[in-house]
Coordinates of all heavy atoms in Angstrom, one line a residue:
L512 N 25.6 -28.6 15.2 CA 25.2 -27.6 16.2 C 24.9 -26.3 15.5 O 24.0 -25.6 15.9 CB 26.3 -27.5 17.2 CG 26.6 -28.7 18.1 CD1 27.8 -28.4 19.0 CD2 25.3 -29.1 18.9
I513 N 25.7 -26.0 14.5 CA 25.5 -24.7 13.7 C 24.1 -24.8 13.0 O 23.4 -23.8 13.0 CB 26.7 -24.5 12.7 CG1 28.0 -24.4 13.5 CG2 26.4 -23.2 12.0 CD1 28.1 -23.4 14.6
V514 N 23.8 -25.9 12.4 CA 22.5 -26.1 11.7 C 21.4 -25.9 12.7 O 20.4 -25.3 12.4 CB 22.4 -27.4 11.0 CG1 21.1 -27.6 10.4 CG2 23.5 -27.5 9.9
N515 N 21.5 -26.5 13.9 CA 20.5 -26.3 14.9 C 20.3 -24.9 15.3 O 19.2 -24.4 15.5 CB 20.9 -27.1 16.2 CG 20.5 -28.6 16.0 OD1 19.5 -28.9 15.5 ND2 21.4 -29.5 16.5
Q516 N 21.4 -24.1 15.4 CA 21.3 -22.7 15.7 C 20.6 -21.9 14.5 O 19.7 -21.1 14.8 CB 22.7 -22.1 15.9 CG 22.7 -20.6 16.0 CD 21.9 -20.1 17.2 OE1 21.7 -20.8 18.2 NE2 21.4 -18.8 17.1
D517 N 20.9 -22.3 13.3 CA 20.2 -21.7 12.2 C 18.7 -22.0 12.2 O 17.9 -21.1 11.8 CB 20.8 -22.2 10.8 CG 22.2 -21.7 10.6 OD1 22.6 -20.7 11.2 OD2 22.9 -22.3 9.8
I518 N 18.3 -23.1 12.6 CA 16.9 -23.5 12.8 C 16.2 -22.5 13.8 O 15.1 -22.0 13.5 CB 16.7 -24.9 13.2 CG1 17.1 -25.9 12.0 CG2 15.3 -25.2 13.6 CD1 17.1 -27.3 12.3
V519 N 16.9 -22.3 14.9 CA 16.3 -21.4 15.9 C 16.1 -20.0 15.4 O 15.1 -19.4 15.6 CB 17.2 -21.4 17.2 CG1 16.8 -20.4 18.2 CG2 17.2 -22.8 17.8
V520 N 17.2 -19.5 14.6 CA 17.1 -18.2 14.1 C 15.9 -18.1 13.1 O 15.2 -17.1 13.1 CB 18.5 -17.8 13.5 CG1 18.3 -16.4 12.8 CG2 19.5 -17.7 14.6
T521 N 15.8 -19.0 12.2 CA 14.8 -19.0 11.2 C 13.4 -19.1 11.8 O 12.5 -18.4 11.3 CB 15.0 -20.1 10.2 OG1 16.4 -20.1 9.6 CG2 14.1 -20.0 9.0
E522 N 13.2 -20.0 12.8 CA 12.0 -20.0 13.5 C 11.6 -18.7 14.1 O 10.4 -18.3 14.0 CB 12.0 -21.1 14.6 CG 11.9 -22.5 14.0 CD 11.9 -23.6 15.2 OE1 12.5 -23.3 16.2 OE2 11.3 -24.6 15.0
N523 N 12.5 -18.0 14.7 CA 12.2 -16.7 15.3 C 12.0 -15.6 14.3 O 11.3 -14.7 14.6 CB 13.4 -16.4 16.3 CG 13.4 -17.2 17.5 OD1 12.4 -17.8 17.9 ND2 14.5 -17.3 18.1
K524 N 12.5 -15.8 13.1 CA 12.2 -14.8 12.0 C 10.7 -15.0 11.7 O 10.0 -14.0 11.5 CB 13.0 -15.1 10.8 CG 14.4 -14.6 10.8 CD 15.1 -14.9 9.6 CE 16.6 -14.4 9.6 NZ 17.3 -14.7 8.4
I525 N 10.2 -16.2 11.6 CA 8.8 -16.4 11.3 C 7.9 -15.9 12.5 O 6.9 -15.3 12.3 CB 8.5 -17.9 11.1 CG1 9.2 -18.3 9.8 CG2 7.0 -18.2 10.9 CD1 9.1 -19.8 9.4
N526 N 8.4 -16.2 13.8 CA 7.7 -15.8 14.9 C 7.6 -14.3 15.0 O 6.5 -13.7 15.4 CB 8.4 -16.3 16.2 CG 8.2 -17.8 16.4 OD1 7.2 -18.4 16.0 ND2 9.2 -18.4 16.9
F527 N 8.6 -13.6 14.6 CA 8.6 -12.1 14.6 C 7.6 -11.6 13.6 O 6.8 -10.7 13.8 CB 10.0 -11.5 14.3 CG 10.0 -10.0 14.2 CD1 10.0 -9.3 15.3 CD2 10.0 -9.4 13.0 CE1 10.0 -7.9 15.3 CE2 10.0 -8.0 12.9 CZ 10.1 -7.2 14.0
L528 N 7.5 -12.2 12.4 CA 6.6 -11.8 11.3 C 5.1 -12.1 11.8 O 4.2 -11.3 11.5 CB 6.8 -12.5 10.0 CG 8.2 -12.2 9.3 CD1 8.4 -13.1 8.1 CD2 8.2 -10.7 8.9
V529 N 4.9 -13.1 12.6 CA 3.6 -13.5 13.1 C 3.3 -12.7 14.4 O 2.1 -12.8 14.8 CB 3.5 -15.0 13.3 CG1 2.2 -15.4 13.8 CG2 3.8 -15.8 12.0
N530 N 4.2 -12.0 14.9 CA 4.1 -11.2 16.1 C 3.8 -12.1 17.3 O 2.8 -12.0 18.0 CB 3.0 -10.2 16.0 CG 2.9 -9.2 17.1 OD1 3.9 -8.7 17.5 ND2 1.8 -9.0 17.7
R531 N 4.7 -13.1 17.6 CA 4.6 -13.9 18.7 C 6.0 -14.2 19.3 O 7.0 -14.0 18.5 CB 3.9 -15.2 18.4 CG 4.6 -16.1 17.5 CD 3.7 -17.3 17.1 NE 4.5 -18.3 16.3 CZ 4.0 -19.3 15.7 NH1 2.7 -19.6 15.8 NH2 4.7 -20.2 15.0
F532 N 6.1 -14.5 20.5 CA 7.4 -14.7 21.1 C 8.0 -16.0 20.6 O 7.2 -16.9 20.1 CB 7.3 -14.7 22.6 CG 7.0 -13.4 23.2 CD1 5.8 -12.9 23.6 CD2 8.1 -12.5 23.3 CE1 5.6 -11.7 24.1 CE2 7.9 -11.2 23.9 CZ 6.7 -10.8 24.3
P533 N 9.3 -16.2 20.8 CA 10.0 -17.4 20.3 C 9.3 -18.7 20.7 O 9.0 -18.9 21.9 CB 11.4 -17.3 20.8 CG 11.6 -15.9 21.0 CD 10.3 -15.3 21.4
Q534 N 9.0 -19.6 19.7 CA 8.4 -20.9 20.0 C 8.7 -21.7 18.7 O 8.9 -21.2 17.6 CB 7.0 -20.8 20.2 CG 6.2 -20.1 19.2 CD 4.7 -19.9 19.5 OE1 3.9 -20.8 19.4 NE2 4.4 -18.7 20.1
P535 N 8.6 -23.1 18.8 CA 8.8 -23.9 17.7 C 7.7 -23.7 16.6 O 6.6 -23.4 16.9 CB 8.7 -25.3 18.2 CG 9.0 -25.2 19.7 CD 8.4 -23.8 20.1
V536 N 8.1 -23.8 15.4 CA 7.2 -23.6 14.2 C 6.8 -25.0 13.7 O 7.7 -25.8 13.3 CB 7.8 -22.8 13.1 CG1 6.9 -22.7 11.9 CG2 8.1 -21.4 13.6
E537 N 5.6 -25.3 13.6 CA 5.1 -26.6 13.2 C 5.3 -26.7 11.7 O 4.9 -25.8 10.9 CB 3.6 -26.7 13.5 CG 3.1 -28.1 13.2 CD 1.6 -28.2 13.7 OE1 1.1 -27.2 14.1 OE2 1.1 -29.3 13.5
R538 N 5.9 -27.8 11.2 CA 6.0 -28.0 9.8 C 6.3 -29.5 9.6 O 6.6 -30.3 10.5 CB 7.2 -27.3 9.2 CG 8.6 -27.7 9.5 CD 9.1 -27.0 10.7 NE 10.5 -27.3 11.0 CZ 11.1 -26.9 12.1 NH1 10.5 -26.2 13.0 NH2 12.4 -27.2 12.4
V539 N 6.1 -30.0 8.4 CA 6.4 -31.4 7.9 C 7.4 -31.3 6.8 O 7.1 -30.8 5.7 CB 5.1 -32.1 7.5 CG1 5.5 -33.5 7.0 CG2 4.1 -32.1 8.6
S540 N 8.7 -31.8 7.1 CA 9.7 -31.6 6.1 C 9.9 -32.9 5.2 O 10.8 -32.9 4.4 CB 11.0 -31.3 6.8 OG 10.9 -30.1 7.6
A541 N 9.2 -33.9 5.5 CA 9.3 -35.1 4.7 C 8.9 -34.8 3.2 O 8.0 -34.1 3.0 CB 8.4 -36.3 5.2
G542 N 9.6 -35.4 2.3 CA 9.3 -35.2 0.9 C 9.8 -33.9 0.4 O 9.2 -33.4 -0.6
F543 N 10.8 -33.3 1.1 CA 11.2 -31.9 0.6 C 11.8 -31.9 -0.7 O 11.6 -31.0 -1.5 CB 12.2 -31.4 1.7 CG 12.9 -30.1 1.3 CD1 12.2 -28.9 1.5 CD2 14.2 -30.1 0.8 CE1 12.8 -27.7 1.1 CE2 14.7 -28.8 0.5 CZ 14.0 -27.7 0.6
Y544 N 12.6 -33.0 -1.1 CA 13.2 -33.0 -2.4 C 12.2 -33.0 -3.5 O 12.5 -32.5 -4.6 CB 14.1 -34.2 -2.5 CG 15.3 -34.2 -1.5 CD1 15.5 -35.3 -0.6 CD2 16.2 -33.2 -1.5 CE1 16.6 -35.3 0.3 CE2 17.3 -33.2 -0.6 CZ 17.4 -34.2 0.3 OH 18.5 -34.2 1.2
D545 N 11.1 -33.6 -3.3 CA 10.1 -33.7 -4.4 C 8.9 -32.7 -4.2 O 7.9 -32.9 -4.8 CB 9.5 -35.1 -4.4 CG 10.6 -36.2 -4.7 OD1 11.5 -35.9 -5.6 OD2 10.6 -37.2 -4.1
L546 N 9.1 -31.7 -3.4 CA 8.0 -30.8 -3.0 C 7.8 -29.9 -4.2 O 8.7 -29.2 -4.8 CB 8.4 -30.0 -1.8 CG 7.4 -28.9 -1.4 CD1 6.0 -29.5 -1.0 CD2 7.9 -28.1 -0.2
N547 N 6.5 -29.8 -4.7 CA 6.1 -28.9 -5.8 C 5.0 -28.1 -5.3 O 3.9 -28.6 -4.8 CB 5.7 -29.7 -7.0 CG 6.8 -30.4 -7.7 OD1 7.9 -29.8 -7.9 ND2 6.6 -31.7 -8.1
I548 N 5.2 -26.7 -5.3 CA 4.2 -25.8 -4.7 C 3.0 -25.8 -5.7 O 1.9 -26.2 -5.3 CB 4.7 -24.4 -4.5 CG1 5.9 -24.5 -3.5 CG2 3.7 -23.5 -4.0 CD1 6.6 -23.2 -3.3
N549 N 3.2 -25.2 -6.8 CA 2.1 -25.1 -7.8 C 2.7 -24.7 -9.2 O 3.8 -24.2 -9.3 CB 1.1 -23.9 -7.4 CG -0.3 -24.1 -7.9 OD1 -0.4 -24.1 -9.1 ND2 -1.3 -24.3 -7.1
R550 N 1.9 -25.1 -10.2 CA 2.4 -24.7 -11.5 C 2.1 -23.2 -11.8 O 1.0 -22.8 -11.5 CB 1.6 -25.6 -12.5 CG 2.0 -25.3 -14.0 CD 1.2 -26.2 -14.9 NE 1.4 -25.8 -16.3 CZ 0.8 -24.9 -17.0 NH1 -0.2 -24.2 -16.4 NH2 1.0 -24.6 -18.2
L551 N 3.1 -22.5 -12.2 CA 3.0 -21.1 -12.4 C 2.4 -20.8 -13.8 O 2.8 -21.3 -14.8 CB 4.4 -20.4 -12.4 CG 5.0 -20.4 -11.0 CD1 6.5 -19.9 -11.1 CD2 4.2 -19.4 -10.1
S552 N 1.4 -19.9 -13.8 CA 0.8 -19.4 -15.0 C 1.0 -17.8 -15.0 O 0.5 -17.2 -14.0 CB -0.7 -19.7 -15.0 OG -0.9 -21.2 -15.0
V553 N 1.5 -17.3 -16.0 CA 1.9 -15.9 -16.0 C 0.9 -15.0 -16.6 O 0.9 -13.8 -16.4 CB 3.3 -15.7 -16.7 CG1 4.4 -16.5 -16.0 CG2 3.2 -16.2 -18.2
G554 N -0.1 -15.6 -17.3 CA -1.1 -14.7 -18.0 C -0.5 -13.9 -19.1 O 0.4 -14.4 -19.8
V555 N -1.0 -12.7 -19.3 CA -0.5 -11.8 -20.3 C 0.1 -10.6 -19.6 O -0.2 -10.2 -18.5 CB -1.6 -11.4 -21.3 CG1 -2.1 -12.5 -22.1 CG2 -2.8 -10.7 -20.5
P556 N 1.1 -9.8 -20.3 CA 1.7 -8.7 -19.6 C 0.8 -7.6 -19.1 O 1.1 -7.1 -18.1 CB 2.7 -8.2 -20.7 CG 2.9 -9.4 -21.6 CD 1.7 -10.1 -21.6
S557 N -0.3 -7.3 -19.8 CA -1.1 -6.3 -19.4 C -1.8 -6.6 -18.0 O -2.2 -5.6 -17.3 CB -2.2 -6.0 -20.4 OG -3.0 -7.1 -20.6
Q558 N -1.9 -7.8 -17.6 CA -2.5 -8.2 -16.4 C -1.6 -7.8 -15.2 O -2.1 -7.5 -14.1 CB -2.8 -9.7 -16.3 CG -3.9 -10.2 -17.2 CD -4.1 -11.7 -17.1 OE1 -3.1 -12.4 -16.9 NE2 -5.3 -12.1 -17.2

Side-chain angles (χ1 to χ4, degrees):
L512 296 174
I513 303 302
V514 174
N515 280 319
Q516 173 60 25
D517 292 340
I518 289 175
V519 172
V520 172
T521 306
E522 282 183 330
N523 288 335
K524 285 182 180 178
I525 296 177
N526 290 325
F527 178 77
L528 294 175
V529 178
N530 190 49
R531 65 187 186 188
F532 287 101
Q534 57 184 276
V536 175
E537 187 179 1
R538 73 267 187 189
V539 177
S540 301
F543 175 76
Y544 294 124
D545 299 320
L546 179 61
N547 291 317
I548 301 177
N549 205 300
R550 179 179 174 272
L551 288 170
S552 302
V553 298
V555 295
S557 59
Q558 291 178 326

